[in-house]
Amino acid sequence: MKVTVTGGASFIGSHLVEKLLEKGHSIKVIDNLSSGSQENLKGILKDIELIVLDLRVASPVQIAKIISGSDILYHLAADHGGRGYVELKQTDCSNSLAIDNNVFMACIYGDVRKVIYASSGCVYPLDMQNDTDQMLYLNEDDIGPPYEPDGIYGLAKLAGELTLKVMYEEHQLESTCCRFFTVYGPRGKENHAIMSFIARAFIQRNPFEIWGDGTQIRNWTYVDDIVNGLLVNLKGHQALNIGTTERTRVIDAVQMTLNVVNKHYYKGEYNPEILLQRDMPVGPLNRVADNSKLLNLNGIPLMNINLGIERTVDWYFKTKDKEYIEKNLDRLLIARQ
Ligand SMILES: NC(=O)c1ccc[n+]([C@@H]2O[C@H](COP(=O)([O-])OP(=O)(O)OC[C@H]3O[C@@H](n4cnc5c(N)ncnc54)[C@H](O)[C@@H]3O)[C@@H](O)[C@H]2O)c1
């Protein structure tokens, strides 16, 4: 098949492109490289067509000319970062409203019949996610109304989903809204929690800072599981959670990271003092997916967080430069690049 991937130079996008290539598809990537990079596509650049284009300002007609003839369009391009970015840079996050609209209109003009949209757990009402004692599993039907997405970033993802719904009803443009839950893995950025813990451990930061009181619960999901979910083939317009059901507190994920780095690199000698930074952005207190729909569809077990952290630590420690991370970590915790 002919497949276009917007945002294909990103952390998740580059893993998806590799998998699609393995399956023999012909791939076009559209990306402005604002947070994605050619480095992420190293090794496969010669096998794909990379179009460097800013999807905020390109017109739907211009984009339609590029994507016309694609059997499927994966739409991952977004103005997105980690928790610090999506709370402190909401004006920037509003760019995704323009990006999504341009790309979806282009699908109609270019007669592309199917969109797989990178949505997020951020579409679910915040009000549901505040009680850490509740065994909450967010189900695909839980988004509302009433709607209460997570900031402008979540609002843009929700607007994207609702736009795709009406585009299916009015123009028969098929779409799957894949709601990713806090993703980590090789090529992940320090602006996301697990990657920030690994980065702190890499430079043996002491004290070791944690945003909030550490009791926030997440279901960290390994990037390969996200890619497997993106390959599920659904008809019509549907939503699909892609996330594990493992409930892990931030403080426990930190401890797992410290255990892994001590086991493989520091011989048990790195035991930093934990410093809780309660004034930093923390997001909802309890966010975990119900993934029964995904498991019924593809039956592939998801990565256990301990093993996922072990693999990600291995990648990080082998590829990163200590001096650079020491100098830049405070900026990288919030920035997109
Ligand atoms: N990482 C997560 O935990 C997570 C969770 C939920 C959803 N998502 C979504 O998954 C997708 C990929 O995210 P990611 O974490 O891999 O990295 P990312 O945020 O870096 O990916 C966004 C990609 O879009 C590109 N882009 C941004 N603005 C653009 C523009 N104006 N024109 C063209 N390209 C543009 C960037 O260069 C980058 O390659 C995003 O849509 C993100 O919102 C990610």
Side-chain angles (χ1 to χ4, degrees):
M1 286 198 298
K2 290 186 178 165
V3 182
T4 297
V5 183
T6 74
S10 65
F11 155 48
I12 301 169
S14 60
H15 286 276
L16 172 67
V17 169
E18 282 173 353
K19 186 70 160 206
L20 291 167
L21 268 180
E22 253 173 60
K23 292 191 167 291
H25 301 301
S26 140
I27 317 286
K28 260 184 201 177
V29 166
I30 308 177
D31 201 301
N32 72 346
L33 306 179
S34 56
S35 59
S37 66
Q38 296 207 26
E39 174 71 17
N40 283 342
L41 296 167
K42 196 175 62 181
I44 54 167
L45 266 176
K46 59 181 185 329
D47 304 316
I48 62 172
E49 186 182 350
L50 171 64
I51 297 142
V52 179
L53 180 71
D54 188 338
L55 292 164
R56 277 174 313 178
V57 294
S59 74
V61 172
Q62 187 186 352
I63 301 166
K65 285 189 188 138
I66 299 169
I67 66 177
S68 175
S70 302
D71 298 295
I72 296 188
L73 179 133
Y74 283 92
H75 179 43
L76 279 73
D79 201 316
H80 156 255
R83 178 49 54 186
Y85 186 81
V86 302
E87 285 200 14
L88 304 174
K89 306 280 179 191
Q90 298 210 43
T91 308
D92 292 336
C93 291
S94 73
N95 281 322
S96 293
L97 291 159
I99 295 172
D100 290 355
N101 195 253
N102 288 341
V103 170
F104 298 159
M105 292 304 283
C107 287
I108 292 175
Y109 297 161
D111 202 28
V112 173
R113 306 309 312 153
K114 186 156 197 167
V115 178
I116 314 283
Y117 180 46
S119 186
S120 164
C122 290
V123 296
Y124 288 105
L126 285 177
D127 187 40
M128 296 178 69
Q129 305 170 56
N130 282 329
D131 180 1
T132 45
D133 290 332
Q134 192 193 349
M135 291 296 282
L136 176 74
Y137 295 98
L138 294 159
N139 177 271
E140 278 85 356
D141 294 332
D142 285 335
I143 61 162
Y147 300 110
E148 198 199 357
D150 189 348
I152 299 293
Y153 170 71
L155 179 78
K157 293 293 186 193
L158 179 63
E161 289 202 11
L162 297 177
T163 305
L164 286 171
K165 181 170 183 283
V166 295
M167 286 182 166
Y168 176 61
E169 289 160 4
E170 295 170 12
H171 297 274
Q172 297 75 52
L173 171 62
E174 286 198 272
S175 49
T176 306
C177 298
C178 293
R179 297 178 188 150
F180 308 165
F181 283 74
T182 38
V183 190
Y184 72 103
R187 300 185 203 135
K189 294 247 170 88
E190 292 81 358
N191 59 18
H192 279 73
I194 296 267
M195 304 310 299
S196 81
F197 306 153
I198 296 175
R200 287 181 178 100
F202 181 58
I203 57 173
Q204 296 185 62
R205 197 100 129 184
N206 195 357
F208 189 111
E209 311 93 341
I210 295 180
W211 291 3
D213 68 2
T215 61
Q216 312 92 286
I217 296 169
R218 290 291 184 279
N219 60 331
W220 281 284
T221 304
Y222 196 69
V223 64
D224 291 358
D225 295 328
I226 299 290
V227 170
N228 286 334
L230 283 165
L231 299 180
V232 167
N233 188 14
L234 290 172
K235 296 273 170 234
H237 168 81
Q238 296 195 43
L240 180 67
N241 281 343
I242 313 183
T244 78
T245 50
E246 277 182 334
R247 312 174 65 77
T248 308
R249 296 183 312 163
V250 162
I251 188 83
D252 298 326
V254 167
Q255 197 51 59
M256 289 174 198
T257 306
L258 294 177
N259 292 346
V260 169
V261 297
N262 270 317
K263 182 171 142 203
H264 293 292
Y265 296 94
Y266 302 140
K267 302 181 178 149
E269 284 169 10
Y270 174 51
N271 297 294
E273 178 199 335
I274 300 291
L275 175 66
L276 301 178
Q277 296 182 315
R278 293 171 197 271
D279 54 342
M280 294 306 280
V282 293
L285 299 182
N286 184 10
R287 175 175 287 164
V288 178
D290 170 352
N291 66 8
S292 47
K293 182 170 179 180
L294 175 70
L295 292 185
N296 284 337
L297 286 162
N298 75 358
I300 304 174
L302 281 81
M303 173 76 79
N304 155 276
I305 186 167
N306 268 301
L307 185 56
I309 289 179
E310 199 145 345
R311 288 194 185 172
T312 311
V313 163
D314 183 53
W315 168 79
Y316 199 91
F317 277 55
K318 280 187 180 144
T319 57
K320 296 290 175 173
D321 175 57
K322 269 206 172 107
E323 211 176 302
Y324 178 82
I325 298 299
E326 261 160 17
K327 213 164 147 198
N328 290 283
L329 185 57
D330 287 321
R331 179 183 63 78
L332 292 172
L333 292 176
I334 293 176
R336 294 173 71 220
Q337 278 283 27

